[in-house]
Amino acid sequence: MLPVLGALLWSSACGGGSDTASGDTAKKSESTTSTTTTEAPKAMLAATPPMGWNSWNQVRCPDLNEDVVKRAADALVREELDKVGYRYVVVDDCWQAPNRDAAGSLQSDPVRFPSGLDSLAKYVHDKGLKFGLYLAPGSQTCAMFWDAYPASGIGSYGHERQDAEMLQRIGVDYLKYDWCRADETDGLVRVDAFTKMHDELARLDRKIVYSISEYGETAPWTWAPPIANVWRTTGDIAPVWPSVAAIIDSQADLHPYAGPGHWNDPDMLQVGNGTFTPDEARAHIGMWSMLAAPLMIGTDLDRLTPEVLDALSNTEVIAIDQDPLGQQARRVRAGDGEVWARGLKGGDVAVALLNKSDAPLDIQTTLAEVGAAAGTWKVRDVSARADRPSTDSAIGATVPPHGLTILRLSPS
Ligand code: GLA
């Protein structure tokens, strides 16, 4: 008998499963979300989770400059990370000169960006990559709080149209729009402020992926799907395993809200930074892929270890992240040995066995637990890139501490 996906867990995404990466931010459809739909898309922006590099986790604030960004773009191409999907090069906070000019326009810092953003965007585009930029809806950016960035009035409050038009002029493909306490500093209301920039982007001729960030404080997954392609679900990730493990834990109930064109964002990758073991780094990337999360690398690509480069380049893991159905994994068993599962296009099921304990753990599950119908399934260990014997019942693996094994089941 040909196995079919269990109706209990897997419903097919309805509407909007376009594979295209260009489209209209303002006219997205819904697929698996609980929010309402207004118009069907002509084509879809962020039909799969955006992938690329972002400056923040690598250099944070004062060390950001145009050479750092150019080197990241060079490395994405040299290491062939662009070929597996990492295409956005996003300049995070601290690119701005301390003040707007006399016309109220934002300027890039003249010392650290001597060639200017137009030139930098061209450099990135000439490599076949896409260019992203950071703005904030209030009057201040987060670095002005947390990094004592010496600037004034570089948030977009009162300049939304001007700043959106700047994005178009520069050739920006991805906007990260970051809250930064704009309620406290400017009395703004999140949904209104984020909708305002959505509306300004919708006026433009240019299609810009709209990634908003308010750290999951007001459950943005309940209100952001109609206005944003990506919304942060957590506070800032740190380059240590406990931070990654806590974020994974906090994502367990968010699967209904993700789908093509609109994604939960558990924050950017930290692999390559901090204290991760190779198993922890693989688990970080693998779980982000199970979660259908954006994969934004945040480390120095000139210093990647072979293990981290290999993990970032595992096309079988990336294929799960980028699966066109966009069904974010749900946790079917919690505890030290967790089991997560998600349905994939064509009837496959991805099963992740996550060992949160400090010792190796034998994690066993069943077809029934992961929602796969009775029958015989082929098993591919995508973490190890190796076939396993087919199964009609049990699925399992011995998983190292803080490690992850992802098994892809296919109807046989
Ligand atoms: C916040 C965001 C980070 C980064 C910084 C920049 O902390 O969550 O991802 O953008 O602001 O200041």
Side-chain angles (χ1 to χ4, degrees):
M1 185 187 91
L2 185 70
V4 292
L5 295 179
L8 178 67
L9 285 184
W10 314 119
S11 58
S12 64
C14 52
S18 162
D19 287 335
T20 62
S22 63
D24 188 338
T25 315
K27 298 190 179 79
K28 291 184 285 84
S29 76
E30 302 303 321
S31 60
T32 54
T33 75
S34 56
T35 54
T36 52
T37 301
T38 49
E39 288 179 65
K42 290 181 190 142
M44 187 178 289
L45 261 185
T48 60
M51 297 171 63
W53 171 92
N54 174 298
S55 59
W56 186 252
N57 286 342
Q58 179 183 330
V59 291
R60 214 174 156 101
C61 189
D63 293 335
L64 177 64
N65 60 57
E66 65 184 35
D67 286 336
V68 167
V69 181
K70 286 181 178 177
R71 277 194 280 113
D74 293 348
L76 284 177
V77 175
R78 186 186 63 241
E79 304 296 347
E80 302 196 332
L81 289 162
D82 58 336
K83 291 203 171 71
V84 299
Y86 299 94
R87 296 206 178 90
Y88 288 95
V89 173
V90 182
V91 179
D92 208 284
D93 203 356
C94 300
W95 62 267
Q96 313 89 337
N99 300 102
R100 290 175 181 268
D101 70 10
S105 299
L106 285 170
Q107 306 295 313
S108 55
D109 184 90
V111 176
R112 290 178 291 110
F113 291 83
S115 312
L117 289 191
D118 300 75
S119 157
L120 188 56
K122 182 171 184 320
Y123 186 91
V124 169
H125 287 145
D126 285 349
K127 293 191 166 289
L129 302 170
K130 293 175 177 289
F131 187 65
L133 199 62
Y134 172 104
L135 295 173
S139 54
Q140 306 189 17
T141 74
C142 289
M144 294 169 65
F145 292 120
W146 305 114
D147 295 73
Y149 192 53
S152 168
I154 58 171
S156 294
Y157 187 36
H159 295 271
E160 290 87 354
R161 177 155 301 178
Q162 188 173 21
D163 289 356
E165 288 174 352
M166 173 195 72
L167 300 179
Q168 172 162 285
R169 183 180 51 73
I170 292 171
V172 169
D173 305 296
Y174 182 108
L175 170 62
K176 175 171 175 178
Y177 205 45
D178 192 18
W179 185 241
C180 308
R181 310 200 319 205
D183 44 348
E184 294 168 35
T185 54
D186 304 287
L188 298 188
V189 173
R190 285 170 174 78
V191 67
D192 296 342
F194 286 117
T195 299
K196 192 173 183 71
M197 183 53 88
H198 160 272
D199 293 347
E200 293 300 340
L201 296 180
R203 287 181 63 249
L204 304 176
D205 295 329
R206 194 170 185 87
K207 305 307 175 197
I208 298 177
V209 172
Y210 186 35
S211 167
I212 69 167
S213 169
E214 58 82 80
Y215 332 114
E217 286 174 356
T218 64
W221 44 90
T222 62
W223 51 261
I227 59 163
N229 300 111
V230 172
W231 52 86
R232 277 274 293 279
T233 57
T234 71
D236 287 14
I237 190 171
V240 293
W241 175 252
S243 172
V244 168
I247 287 177
I248 292 169
D249 207 41
S250 69
Q251 304 303 293
D253 297 327
L254 301 187
H255 53 87
Y257 305 100
H262 47 272
W263 307 103
N264 290 307
D265 175 9
D267 204 1
M268 301 175 288
L269 296 175
Q270 282 279 16
V271 290
N273 304 330
T275 59
F276 296 112
T277 66
D279 283 327
E280 290 171 343
R282 280 190 286 272
H284 180 8
I285 297 167
M287 277 308 300
W288 262 235
S289 297
M290 289 296 292
L291 294 169
L295 299 178
M296 303 301 288
I297 302 169
T299 196
D300 185 345
L301 297 171
D302 289 339
R303 294 162 179 260
L304 290 177
T305 63
E307 290 85 3
V308 169
L309 178 59
D310 181 67
L312 288 168
S313 308
N314 185 330
T315 52
E316 297 187 41
V317 173
I318 291 170
I320 292 172
D321 182 69
Q322 297 289 302
D323 184 78
L325 279 189
Q327 292 192 0
Q328 177 172 332
R330 62 187 71 200
R331 186 166 63 186
V332 299
R333 193 196 310 164
D336 273 355
E338 299 203 332
V339 181
W340 295 67
R342 62 177 282 189
L344 303 172
K345 190 173 180 186
D348 287 8
V349 180
V351 178
L353 308 170
L354 174 66
N355 180 1
K356 288 177 131 175
S357 81
D358 298 334
L361 201 60
D362 184 36
I363 305 176
Q364 296 290 330
T365 181
T366 62
L367 293 178
E369 188 176 40
V370 302
T376 302
W377 294 77
K378 289 188 282 189
V379 182
R380 173 83 176 165
D381 181 336
V382 304
S383 309
R385 301 173 173 104
D387 289 332
R388 296 273 198 93
S390 294
T391 185
D392 58 9
S393 53
I395 314 152
T398 300
V399 185
H402 306 174
L404 182 75
T405 295
I406 302 180
L407 302 174
R408 182 173 183 134
L409 311 182
S410 308
S412 68

